[in-house]
């Protein structure tokens, strides 16, 4: 139950305007977020996670060559009729599961990929003055209870801002946003500092942020300064850091296995994990893996 003074999280931003350069040439004309993990594209995995968490409005921050992402969620009458005529009821259920409820998809555009912070800022008018979630389609968490549901449960208890976190090897802190921890209560840590991509020797901890956030709308005041940070990009982490000390800020050690599908290795690992638990092909995938031993 949400406490009276905690506003519910109803909206989620999906930043999908990046170039996906690590997957070139596959992503030359096709958005990275359309790459499939098992039987559905990345964007559908995160849409389902948000829907299961009770999100009511889905906001895509999109860009050039990304129309396929919105089309994926359309109703496709010809396809349904063909499947019906062929008696493929299972497949009809699957494509219906990929449809966006009417009036719930909102689009805004990021004209240039100036960084995640800038992409989020582009959705400001669609968020208004309420807390919201951000989900990066690159990051998948494999667990029966979705990562965003776990975060909303934590938010309903603690309020403020919540980021999903996991421990990484110290040698890799320069790839992630890293927490400076105030108090560590196991699943929940309270945060006193945030640093984007610190060198291992400077990193205040090894707890890194993955692509799930619940933030208060005041973050937009700081994003609007358009300050550039690591990699000369407008960083979300830098704007979030400005909320510290003013608002509650927690990290949630989520349950489940995390995959960074924005890297080729993480993408293959996710495909193996998700297809191994697929009822139809899981056994076949296992047998296949055995042949490669
Ligand atoms: P990434 O940095 O992982 O995506 O951003 P990228 O830049 O597309 O990938 P590479 O590094 O070139 O391979 C994570 C998410 O944020 C979005 C991306 O689309 C991706 O879903 N993003 C990133 C934006 O929407 N705008 C940006 O300016 C940057």
């Amino acid at each position: 139950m949400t406490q009276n003074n905690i506003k519910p999280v109803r909206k989620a931003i999906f930043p999908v305007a990046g170039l996906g350069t690590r997957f070139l040439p596959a992503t030359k004309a096709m958005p990275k977020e359309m790459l499939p993990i098992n039987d559905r594209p990345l964007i559908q995995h995160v849409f389902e996670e948000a829907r299961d968490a009770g999100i009511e409005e889905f906001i895509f921050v999109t860009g050039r060559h990304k129309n396929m992402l919105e089309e994926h969620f359309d109703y496709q009458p010809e396809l349904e009729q063909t499947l019906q005529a062929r008696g493929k009821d299972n497949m009809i259920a699957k494509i219906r599961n990929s449809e966006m409820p009417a009036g719930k998809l909102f689009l805004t555009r990021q004209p240039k990929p100036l960084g995640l912070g800038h992409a989020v800022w582009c959705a400001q008018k669609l968020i208004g003055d309420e807390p919201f979630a951000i989900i990066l389609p690159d990051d998948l968490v494999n667990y029966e209870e979705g990562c965003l549901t776990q975060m909303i449960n934590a938010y309903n208890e603690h309020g403020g801002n919540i980021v999903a976190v996991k421990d990484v090897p110290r040698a890799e802190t320069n790839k992630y946003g890293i927490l400076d921890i105030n108090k560590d209560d196991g699943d929940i840590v309270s945060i006193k500092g945030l640093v984007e991509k610190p060198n291992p020797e400077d990193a205040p901890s090894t707890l890194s942020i993955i692509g799930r956030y619940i933030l208060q709308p005041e973050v937009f005041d700081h994003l609007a300064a358009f300050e550039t940070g690591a990699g000369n990009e407008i960083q979300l982490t830098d704007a979030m850091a400005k909320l510290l000390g003013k608002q509650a800020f927690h990290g949630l050690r989520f349950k489940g296995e995390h995959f960074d599908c924005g890297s080729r290795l993480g993408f293959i690992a996710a495909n193996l994990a998700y297809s191994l638990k697929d009822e139809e092909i899981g056994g076949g995938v296992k047998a296949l893996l055995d042949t490669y031993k």
Side-chain angles (χ1 to χ4, degrees):
M1 271 285 281
T2 308
Q3 290 167 25
N4 285 343
N5 55 348
I6 297 180
K7 282 193 188 174
V9 180
R10 302 184 313 111
K11 301 180 179 182
I13 300 177
F14 300 78
V16 293
L19 299 178
T21 54
R22 284 170 286 173
F23 280 91
L24 284 171
T27 48
K28 207 173 143 198
M30 183 185 67
K32 168 175 76 172
E33 299 81 6
M34 282 303 295
L35 292 171
I37 302 295
N38 195 23
D39 62 351
R40 61 202 73 188
L42 281 164
I43 190 71
Q44 187 181 331
H45 281 279
V46 288
F47 160 72
E48 288 181 32
E49 180 183 328
R51 187 182 58 188
D52 291 348
I55 293 296
E56 296 164 18
E57 296 187 13
F58 305 85
I59 300 168
F60 289 7
V61 181
T62 174
R64 292 174 70 217
H65 309 306
K66 298 277 182 164
N67 299 353
M68 202 189 282
L69 287 167
E70 51 205 80
E71 281 169 20
H72 176 75
F73 292 96
D74 278 345
Y75 169 56
Q76 295 247 18
E78 300 84 359
L79 184 58
E80 276 209 20
Q81 278 158 21
T82 309
L83 291 172
Q84 226 144 24
R86 294 183 186 171
K88 298 204 164 174
D89 292 346
N90 278 355
M91 220 28 111
I92 292 176
K94 274 193 174 195
I95 62 157
R96 285 198 183 145
N97 185 44
S98 72
E99 284 166 18
M100 185 68 72
K104 299 299 183 195
L105 174 63
F106 299 85
L107 303 171
T108 182
R109 287 176 86 93
Q110 186 191 28
K112 288 184 196 164
L114 299 178
L116 179 59
H118 183 257
V120 171
W121 175 84
C122 292
Q124 177 175 16
K125 288 279 179 246
L126 295 169
I127 296 293
D129 190 26
E130 58 180 288
F132 61 99
I134 304 169
I135 306 195
L136 303 191
D138 281 9
D139 283 305
L140 291 192
V141 177
N142 191 6
Y143 196 65
E144 57 264 36
E145 186 177 51
C147 185
L148 191 61
T149 300
Q150 298 175 42
M151 291 176 73
I152 287 182
N153 291 340
Y155 170 78
N156 289 341
E157 199 173 320
H158 298 277
N161 304 272
I162 313 252
V163 288
V165 297
K166 74 167 196 180
D167 274 299
V168 294
R170 184 161 277 276
E172 293 178 17
T173 56
N174 57 357
K175 294 191 204 158
Y176 305 99
I178 298 288
L179 309 192
D180 193 353
I181 297 166
N182 190 25
K183 188 161 174 281
D184 193 335
D185 286 328
D187 288 349
I188 277 278
V189 298
S190 84
I191 303 174
K192 65 175 178 194
L194 291 168
V195 200
E196 186 61 37
K197 303 187 173 64
N199 288 325
E201 59 277 19
D202 304 326
S205 78
T206 54
L207 260 191
S208 82
I209 303 176
I210 69 144
R212 300 286 182 280
Y213 311 75
I214 292 175
L215 298 178
Q216 297 298 320
E218 286 76 17
V219 75
F220 288 116
D221 300 341
H222 304 294
L223 288 172
F226 299 134
E227 278 170 30
T228 51
N232 212 24
E233 292 192 350
I234 299 169
Q235 295 287 357
L236 180 61
T237 309
D238 297 343
M240 292 192 306
K242 300 218 166 90
L243 299 176
L244 294 165
K246 296 182 188 132
Q247 298 184 346
F249 218 123
H250 291 92
L252 174 72
R253 282 196 179 92
F254 56 90
K255 295 191 178 71
E257 193 178 2
H258 166 244
F259 297 96
D260 172 10
C261 302
S263 79
R264 284 167 55 202
L265 200 56
F267 172 78
I268 294 203
N271 261 309
L272 289 176
Y274 281 76
S275 58
L276 277 168
K277 65 170 194 177
D278 183 303
E279 276 180 13
E280 208 178 311
I281 63 164
V285 175
K286 180 146 193 336
L288 196 61
L289 282 175
D290 288 342
T291 65
Y292 282 100
K293 266 187 184 160

